[in-house]
Amino acid sequence: MIIMHIDANSAYLAWTAAALLQEGYPVDLRTVPAVIAGDPNNRHGIILARSIPCKKAGVATGESLYEAKKKCPNMIIMPPNYNLYISCSEAMYKILSEYSPLVQRYSIDECFLDYTDSEASFGDPVKIAYEIKDRIKNELGFTVNIGVSTNKLLAKMASELKKPDRVHTIWPSEIEKKMWPLPVRDLFMVGGATERKLRKININTIGDLAKADPAHMRALLKSHGQLIWDYANGRDNAPVVPNSEIEPKGMGNSTTISYDVVDRDEALKVLLALVERVSMRIRKS
């Protein structure tokens, strides 16, 4: 098996920057302190994406715009544009589909590509990964990281190595050198709560986890312990499941009111509108 994981770098910010440059905007948002965030006057002030200068200043995705501005007062703030994001995602998917019919849209800004049967037609996978990366950069105006390996887990871990605009491999023979020294938190499916439990028993790196007793991991974390132990050892049998649309993992709806709703009847009307919208999406699906 030869699997690629393609991940757009700082997608929302990069896509906004590329679109603005096409329109004659004088500054590339990726090179200056800039964020994608909602309107703070309407209580939507959450950081969705940030440039490298903002990242270096300590701005984090998910934090409030109010807190971010304390760290980086002069940053440029741009609103989200989901129609633009969908069109950029579609354009990336179209290029990937030229190299394999087996492309799985994992999220709006990342895809898996099964290159196994394509190698006979296109050649060396690493060379083609560079070709895909450069085509996306030159034709679409934004950069991606591409990870190449023998399964989805290792390909995804490879794409998370040094960014941006890079191609990385983690072949099975490279796991010990490239993956095991990483902090255990960097392993796919290891969240904050799991990390804290692992660190309590002195498992600090992915290598520590890989060398641990799998029975101990199951006792500590049940089936999730077995899963992450397998991942730490580079084991993953999940196939690339082709899909042309981004499949939602759930359906919901929300809104943020620009003022405090204190009247029950008004609150119920807002809830009814949200429920109707979700119901329509469920029926359509």
Side-chain angles (χ1 to χ4, degrees), residues 2-4 99 113-119 122-125 128:
I2 302 173
I3 307 297
M4 298 184 189
Y99 295 89
L113 184 152
D114 188 333
Y115 189 75
T116 309
D117 293 334
S118 300
E119 186 175 15
F122 294 101
D124 179 71
I128 291 302

Side-chain angles (χ1 to χ4, degrees), residues 1-3 116 148-155 170-172 234 236:
M1 296 286 288
I2 302 173
I3 307 297
T116 309
V148 186
S149 192
T150 55
N151 62 40
K152 291 169 74 174
L153 178 276
L154 290 175
I170 299 183
W171 302 115
D236 177 30

Side-chain angles (χ1 to χ4, degrees), residues 47-266:
I47 304 299
L48 301 175
R50 81 279 200 213
S51 65
I52 290 176
C54 275
K55 183 178 180 180
K56 289 179 178 178
V59 175
T61 56
E63 76 175 335
S64 71
L65 189 54
Y66 175 78
E67 291 297 327
K69 289 176 77 173
K70 288 182 181 178
K71 302 171 184 175
C72 201
N74 299 319
M75 65 187 183
I76 299 171
I77 303 168
M78 289 290 179
N81 182 344
Y82 293 106
N83 288 332
L84 170 65
Y85 305 156
I86 291 293
S87 66
C88 290
S89 179
E90 292 283 354
M92 183 171 76
Y93 173 78
K94 186 176 180 181
I95 288 178
L96 298 180
S97 298
E98 295 179 24
Y99 295 89
S100 173
L102 302 177
V103 179
Q104 179 179 351
R105 301 182 78 168
Y106 188 68
S107 69
I108 194 170
D109 60 348
E110 56 183 321
C111 296
F112 288 101
L113 184 152
D114 188 333
Y115 189 75
T116 309
D117 293 334
S118 300
E119 186 175 15
S121 300
F122 294 101
D124 179 71
V126 175
K127 180 180 177 181
I128 291 302
Y130 276 101
E131 179 180 308
I132 293 171
K133 176 187 76 69
D134 292 341
R135 280 192 62 191
I136 290 173
K137 183 177 183 179
N138 296 330
E139 296 176 25
L140 305 182
F142 60 90
T143 64
V144 298
N145 263 41
I146 301 182
V148 186
S149 192
T150 55
N151 62 40
K152 291 169 74 174
L153 178 276
L154 290 175
K156 184 170 176 62
M157 290 298 298
S159 72
E160 294 294 329
L161 298 175
K162 190 174 181 180
K163 297 181 177 183
D165 196 24
R166 302 294 181 104
V167 170
H168 297 286
T169 63
I170 299 183
W171 302 115
S173 61
E174 297 177 311
I175 291 173
E176 185 172 351
K177 178 182 177 182
K178 292 186 177 181
M179 198 167 85
W180 282 4
L182 298 174
V184 71
R185 182 70 169 85
D186 288 358
L187 182 65
F188 181 57
M189 294 299 290
V190 173
T194 300
E195 178 193 19
R196 287 189 290 274
K197 290 180 181 179
L198 293 173
R199 288 191 180 276
K200 283 182 180 179
I201 58 172
N202 206 31
I203 292 178
N204 300 305
T205 67
I206 296 176
D208 292 337
L209 175 57
K211 297 169 189 173
D213 183 346
H216 190 185
M217 293 301 99
R218 289 193 297 272
L220 180 69
L221 299 165
K222 299 184 171 57
S223 60
H224 188 66
Q226 181 68 53
L227 176 71
I228 62 173
W229 184 86
D230 285 336
Y231 281 179
N233 283 284
R235 299 175 182 175
D236 177 30
N237 296 319
V240 172
V241 181
N243 59 316
S244 60
E245 296 184 359
I246 303 165
E247 295 182 1
K249 295 181 175 67
M251 292 189 186
N253 197 13
S254 65
T255 189
T256 306
I257 310 301
S258 59
Y259 55 91
D260 291 332
V261 176
V262 296
D263 180 74
R264 177 180 173 82
D265 287 341
E266 184 177 7

